[in-house]
Amino acid sequence: MTTVRALHRLSLLSLIVAGCGGGGVVGGDMGLCTAPQIACGAQCLDPTSDNANCGACGTVCAGGTACTGGSCVASCATGLSVCGGADGGAPSCVNLQTDPGNCGKCGGVCPMGNVCSNGQCSLACQQGLSNCGGTCANLGSDPANCGKCGVACPIGNVCSNGQCAVSCQTGLINCTGACANLLTDNANCGKCGTACPMGQVCSSGTCDVSCQVGLALCGGVCANRQSDLANCGACGTACPMGNVCSNGQCAVSCQQGLTECNGLCVNTQTDNADCGGCATACPMGNVCSNGQCAVSCQQGLTNCDGACVNLGTDNGNCGACGKACPMGSVCSNGCAATCAMGYAVCNGVCANLKSDIANCGMCGNACPPGNVCSNGACALSCQKGLDNCNGVCANLATDVSNCGKCGSACPPGNVCSNGQCALSCQMGLTSCGGVCANLDSDVGNCGECGTACPPGNVCTKGQCALSCQQGLSPCN
């Protein structure tokens, strides 16, 4: 040590001698030191890097820090960075990849509720959730992020354990993509894929010959007693020919637009005996039009107080109803003193014997009420589309008493459609030999008219099948 100090003093003396010429020597208490060194006691030390004299003699850097550039700074491990110290605070080692107060750079503070990951601030999700585009999602149950972010389930599906699946209501089970009630579904009875045999139904998850709610077992057939023609209201109560079963009651079946009046299907818009409603008959000389009784006048005639008159020739209604011509004049497109060609004077009035209902064919020959004078002969006047059938205006296209032609009446239970008599069956039934039959369930007409099921069989969905009591199964 003595030798070192002697050498040091010799070096200082050399520096002093050399410095006499002004060559960058710094003085101290114990001698002169070369910059950036300073004299600390008997030694020249570098205050920019000496941990025991950092920046000034006697300034010792604390453990975990080192003297760098004349300041004590933290000594950081690999992967850490020094942040702080510039504003007087103690410098510290931070991980810029994970520190929410220094995320990506010193002073890069993440917003509340975020974490620092890979030097980026991102939403912090609780355990079990994942950050999907700024939203915390449960990948096991979120239909918009099922299994992984961005995988959306189709409409009608739910996300279960990270897999999209058909969503069924309470009480229903997903059977190969279809929601089924295992208690009542004939194709999935008790469990998916278990189908009931022909002629049986699924009740409480078991295949049986018992009938579904709303149906009753009638002679081995599940029947709806509210609508079944053969079991209307009660098993075995069959409706008469031409009737249908509605709400458990037999009633006449009428086509759309027709109304049942005393057992007959009538059009209350055009029927003179049931105009606007059943049993509302039009007076003689009137016809039913749009459900209203009105005097029927031929083209060119006008209804004046219930009488059809020609305003061009009628002296009492000349030009307008109630406008009478003076005595000695006649009506000929206006009141005139003489008769026009083709007219005859009848009791001082010019009359057209071809069309005047008071002088039809000859003076004084008045037509009966409801008739008109045509070509000099009295005839019943019917509106367009109706025909005179024995003094009654009838629609040959729809009138059951005059179907297709006057006097051609349809049998009971039939209606007249387009001039043809036909049995009227409600929707879902088929006319078989004058009987309305349900081809899906009728044992006498199973699948098609005339196909009868053997004894002991029932007709189900148009197929004959053996019907067994509860506890028994069909074998050959």
Side-chain angles (χ1 to χ4, degrees):
M1 178 64 72
T2 303
T3 304
V4 171
R5 288 179 178 176
L7 290 173
H8 180 62
R9 288 179 179 177
L10 287 174
S11 297
L12 289 176
L13 288 174
S14 298
L15 289 171
I16 291 171
V17 173
C20 290
V25 178
V26 180
D29 291 340
M30 299 299 296
L32 300 174
C33 298
T34 303
Q37 293 183 336
I38 62 174
C40 291
Q43 293 181 327
C44 287
L45 302 172
D46 187 348
T48 63
S49 60
D50 194 320
N51 285 350
N53 301 278
C54 190
C57 292
T59 301
V60 180
C61 289
T65 64
C67 185
T68 302
S71 298
C72 293
V73 297
S75 178
C76 299
T78 303
L80 303 183
S81 302
V82 177
C83 287
D87 58 354
S92 60
C93 294
V94 298
N95 188 334
L96 299 182
Q97 298 299 302
T98 60
D99 191 331
N102 301 277
C103 191
K105 63 179 181 179
C106 291
V109 180
C110 290
M112 185 71 70
N114 279 231
V115 294
C116 183
S117 176
N118 295 322
Q120 297 288 330
C121 294
S122 61
L123 185 66
C125 296
Q126 58 186 155
Q127 186 174 0
L129 301 183
S130 300
N131 182 353
C132 291
T135 300
C136 292
N138 186 332
L139 301 184
S141 61
D142 190 334
N145 301 279
C146 191
K148 62 181 180 179
C149 292
V151 176
C153 291
I155 294 176
N157 279 228
V158 293
C159 183
S160 176
N161 294 322
Q163 297 290 327
C164 294
V166 174
S167 173
C168 295
Q169 293 176 301
T170 302
L172 301 184
I173 301 296
N174 178 359
C175 290
T176 61
C179 294
N181 187 334
L182 301 185
L183 297 178
T184 60
D185 193 323
N186 280 2
N188 302 280
C189 191
K191 64 180 181 179
C192 291
T194 299
C196 289
M198 186 74 72
Q200 294 192 23
V201 293
C202 183
S203 176
S204 299
T206 303
C207 294
D208 204 342
V209 291
S210 60
C211 297
Q212 292 173 301
V213 175
L215 301 183
L217 189 63
C218 294
V221 177
C222 292
N224 186 336
R225 291 177 295 186
Q226 298 297 302
S227 59
D228 194 318
L229 281 174
N231 303 280
C232 190
C235 290
T237 301
C239 290
M241 185 80 68
N243 278 229
V244 293
C245 183
S246 177
N247 295 321
Q249 298 289 328
C250 294
V252 173
S253 171
C254 294
Q255 289 178 296
Q256 186 175 356
L258 301 184
T259 303
E260 188 270 323
C261 290
N262 295 323
L264 294 177
C265 295
V266 299
N267 187 338
T268 56
Q269 298 297 299
T270 60
D271 194 302
N272 281 0
D274 303 280
C275 191
C278 293
T280 302
C282 291
M284 185 71 72
N286 280 228
V287 292
C288 183
S289 177
N290 294 323
Q292 299 288 330
C293 294
V295 173
S296 173
C297 296
Q298 288 179 305
Q299 188 174 358
L301 302 184
T302 303
N303 179 1
C304 289
D305 294 328
C308 294
V309 298
N310 187 331
L311 299 181
T313 60
D314 193 305
N315 277 5
N317 302 277
C318 191
C321 289
K323 183 179 180 181
C325 289
M327 185 71 70
S329 64
V330 293
C331 181
S332 177
N333 295 319
C335 294
T338 58
C339 294
M341 185 178 295
Y343 286 79
V345 178
C346 294
N347 295 323
V349 176
C350 291
N352 187 334
L353 301 183
K354 290 188 176 183
S355 61
D356 194 328
I357 56 173
N359 302 279
C360 190
M362 61 183 181
C363 291
N365 183 33
C367 291
N371 279 233
V372 294
C373 183
S374 176
N375 291 321
C378 295
L380 184 66
S381 173
C382 294
Q383 341 173 238
K384 186 178 180 179
L386 301 183
D387 288 273
N388 181 351
C389 291
N390 296 323
V392 176
C393 293
N395 186 334
L396 301 184
T398 59
D399 193 323
V400 292
S401 297
N402 302 279
C403 189
K405 63 181 180 179
C406 291
S408 178
C410 291
N414 278 234
V415 294
C416 183
S417 176
N418 294 321
Q420 297 290 327
C421 294
L423 184 65
S424 175
C425 294
Q426 63 179 159
M427 185 179 296
L429 301 183
T430 303
S431 174
C432 292
V435 176
C436 293
N438 186 332
L439 301 184
D440 284 341
S441 61
D442 193 322
V443 293
N445 300 279
C446 189
E448 61 182 3
C449 291
T451 299
C453 292
N457 277 234
V458 294
C459 181
T460 302
K461 295 181 180 179
Q463 296 291 327
C464 293
L466 184 65
S467 173
C468 296
Q469 293 177 305
Q470 185 171 358
L472 300 182
S473 300
C475 294
N476 298 324

